[in-house]
Amino acid sequence: MHDSKGALMEPVDTPLPYDRFLGRIRGTDAGPTLICVGGIHGNEPAGVLALERVLETLQGRAGRVDGEFVALAGNRSALAEKKRFLDRDLNRAWTDERLERLRGDDGLNGDTEDREQVELLQALDDAVTDSRGPVYLLDLHTTSGTRGMFSTFGDSLPNRDFAEHIPVPMVLGLEELVEGTLLGFLGEHGLVAIAVESGQHDEPLAIDRAEAAIWIAIRTAGLLAEADVPEARQGQEMLRRESRGLPRAVEMRYKYDVSPELEFSMEPGYENFQSVSQGETIAHDREGDVVLSENGILLMPLYQEQGEDGFFLVREFSPFWLRVSYALRSAHAGRIARWLPGVAQDSKDPDVLRVNRRIARLFALQFFHLLGFRSVKDEGDTLVVRRRRFDEARFIARGPTPEHLR
């Protein structure tokens, strides 16, 4: 299903498989806006296909919708070619420096992804401008590795609360290892934003899982009453079954960076959430064997030609610590962190702390995570951490007021 509103400009001469706006349903009454993006990587069409299914069904309930549902196609040009990207990764491009440059020339003088990004940014900003309440975003992905669906997000309280309704493993800390994601950019502008990985690229069930996540997000955001969206309960039951035996919460520990010249190649047979051991050889590149330096749980092993991330290692932690961090952040414990020994507030940014590790030996990064800070830079003896924006319990009941994106 396609909406009559298309993209603002056509970057290529050949027809593309999807309009930028896959569809939008605007209720008569004001309420939240839920934006769903599928296919920001062109070899991951499951999210787009799931959105088309949901739009077809949701159209018949348009009169009961409060707020607005907006479905967008991400990298249309890459979707047409069935490639992750054509010139560069569109989900590593949402940095202040690149966006400033794109705003200067509207992407007309850039590569394919420049033009895609300008269009997508305009579509997102239009949806935010038209919103009549808090704005939620669901970014739909798949992986090249098999087994395991999960969610990931910047660990603010409203993001976490939104993600907890989707009963799949929650992956925390991706923002500290991967720069320039759409989630990170939108989270800084007041959107409650999470990503869901629904399975392997070509797995038919990946579409079903993505559809389940969309229905759950519709109910969680408040676009439809619970009685009007039975698909949400059914989706939760299915995802619980699919996630049986997987950890509820894990944190990122390590990312193995790759580039085309390295000729990286994973050993066959590795899956998401597979336990791996120190000393294990799991891949090869031009520099030799890739041997693990610690035990861990494997996530997103790279089994495709394009990509900058060879694999991730994660570690399970008890959901008890999620409750502890909620209590600490609700009590605004982060405000006193700058008074701890060896901790100093940055002279230019009051939300940034500089931690002298020679003095503050007892305060590991996990401690600052509990208080709502993320790692910005590791300078050896100094750890730089930054408080996440909108990380307040009051934004759980009602999300923050979103800011313009352009």
Side-chain angles (χ1 to χ4, degrees):
M1 176 177 178
H2 296 77
D3 190 66
S4 60
K5 182 174 181 179
L8 297 180
M9 62 183 189
E10 192 64 45
V12 294
D13 295 326
T14 55
L16 296 178
Y18 302 103
D19 290 339
R20 180 70 63 200
F21 280 88
L22 298 168
R24 58 193 309 170
I25 297 173
R26 188 173 176 87
T28 302
D29 295 332
T33 293
L34 173 63
I35 305 171
C36 295
V37 178
I40 199 168
H41 291 137
N43 63 336
E44 302 177 17
V48 175
L49 298 173
L51 284 168
E52 290 186 321
R53 286 185 188 175
V54 171
L55 282 163
E56 184 175 0
T57 302
L58 191 60
Q59 187 64 53
R61 304 174 201 171
R64 288 173 275 177
V65 170
D66 291 332
E68 186 169 15
F69 180 79
V70 179
L72 301 174
N75 194 335
R76 299 166 65 218
S77 300
L79 282 164
E81 299 291 332
K82 298 181 172 61
K83 294 182 178 180
R84 181 178 174 91
F85 57 85
L86 301 186
D87 295 309
R88 59 178 175 81
D89 194 327
L90 188 55
N91 203 34
R92 301 293 185 272
W94 302 88
T95 61
D96 292 339
E97 294 79 10
R98 181 172 287 277
L99 289 167
E100 188 63 31
R101 182 174 65 79
L102 291 180
R103 292 182 182 110
D105 64 10
D106 288 334
L108 295 174
N109 300 316
D111 56 30
T112 302
E113 270 73 26
D114 281 349
R115 297 189 292 270
E116 290 285 343
Q117 189 169 4
V118 167
E119 285 191 16
L120 182 56
L121 177 61
Q122 182 65 65
L124 290 164
D125 190 55
D126 287 347
V128 169
T129 301
D130 293 341
S131 65
R132 298 168 291 171
V135 181
Y136 300 84
L137 180 120
L138 180 64
D139 186 16
L140 298 160
H141 289 264
T142 51
T143 72
S144 61
T146 58
R147 185 174 180 260
M149 176 180 178
F150 61 90
S151 66
T152 187
F153 46 90
D155 185 24
S156 68
L157 294 182
N159 285 350
R160 187 195 298 173
D161 180 74
F162 193 54
E164 283 181 339
H165 290 84
I166 301 176
V168 298
M170 298 184 296
V171 178
L172 280 66
L174 182 67
E175 61 185 321
E176 296 180 314
L177 297 180
V178 178
E179 184 181 14
T181 64
L182 179 63
L183 283 189
F185 167 69
L186 296 177
E188 287 293 305
H189 286 76
L191 279 72
V192 179
I194 70 170
V196 165
E197 303 272 0
S198 63
Q200 201 275 338
H201 300 325
D202 302 318
E203 184 184 8
L205 270 175
I207 305 171
D208 298 336
R209 299 184 192 114
E211 182 181 1
I214 297 165
W215 285 116
I216 295 168
I218 287 171
R219 187 185 72 181
T220 303
L223 273 69
L224 285 173
E226 184 171 356
D228 292 328
V229 57
E231 294 89 347
R233 178 182 53 77
Q234 296 162 7
Q236 285 182 315
E237 293 173 355
M238 181 188 77
L239 296 183
R240 286 193 186 97
R241 290 194 303 270
E242 294 280 325
S243 298
R244 189 171 295 134
L246 297 178
R248 180 58 174 135
V250 299
E251 63 173 349
M252 285 286 183
R253 295 281 296 167
Y254 174 76
K255 174 171 77 78
Y256 189 82
D257 295 316
V258 302
S259 58
E261 56 270 19
L262 278 178
E263 300 178 3
F264 175 85
S265 175
M266 284 290 304
E267 283 283 334
Y270 282 100
E271 299 180 318
N272 287 308
F273 295 103
Q274 180 173 340
S275 295
V276 290
S277 303
Q278 181 181 358
E280 187 172 346
T281 298
I282 69 169
H284 309 274
D285 58 28
R286 292 190 65 179
E287 297 178 357
D289 294 342
V290 178
V291 181
L292 297 179
S293 59
E294 62 179 274
N295 298 333
I297 299 171
L298 189 67
L299 203 64
M300 291 186 281
L302 185 67
Y303 287 111
Q304 59 190 27
E305 290 185 4
Q306 293 177 308
E308 301 173 358
D309 314 315
F311 60 88
F312 295 83
L313 288 182
V314 301
R315 179 175 62 186
E316 183 177 6
F317 67 92
S318 170
F320 165 79
W321 293 110
L322 296 178
R323 297 190 291 273
V324 170
S325 69
Y326 175 84
L328 290 172
R329 297 184 204 183
S330 297
H332 306 291
R335 294 178 181 177
I336 65 171
R338 64 191 179 99
W339 301 110
L340 297 172
V343 179
Q345 184 173 293
D346 186 83
S347 59
K348 296 180 180 179
D349 189 338
D351 288 329
V352 172
L353 300 179
R354 302 181 66 85
V355 184
N356 186 329
R357 283 175 161 156
R358 290 175 296 180
I359 300 174
R361 294 179 181 178
L362 297 178
F363 308 127
L365 178 58
Q366 286 77 11
F367 172 77
F368 289 97
H369 283 166
L370 289 175
L371 298 179
F373 291 84
R374 57 168 290 195
S375 174
V376 177
K377 188 183 300 183
D378 190 336
E379 300 176 346
D381 286 338
T382 302
L383 175 67
V384 182
V385 296
R386 183 177 184 272
R387 191 198 313 271
R388 295 176 176 91
R389 296 193 69 193
F390 310 108
D391 185 31
E392 298 179 44
R394 64 190 176 99
F395 292 132
I396 292 177
R398 180 179 175 84
T401 300
E403 303 170 353
H404 289 298
L405 307 179
R406 289 183 62 83

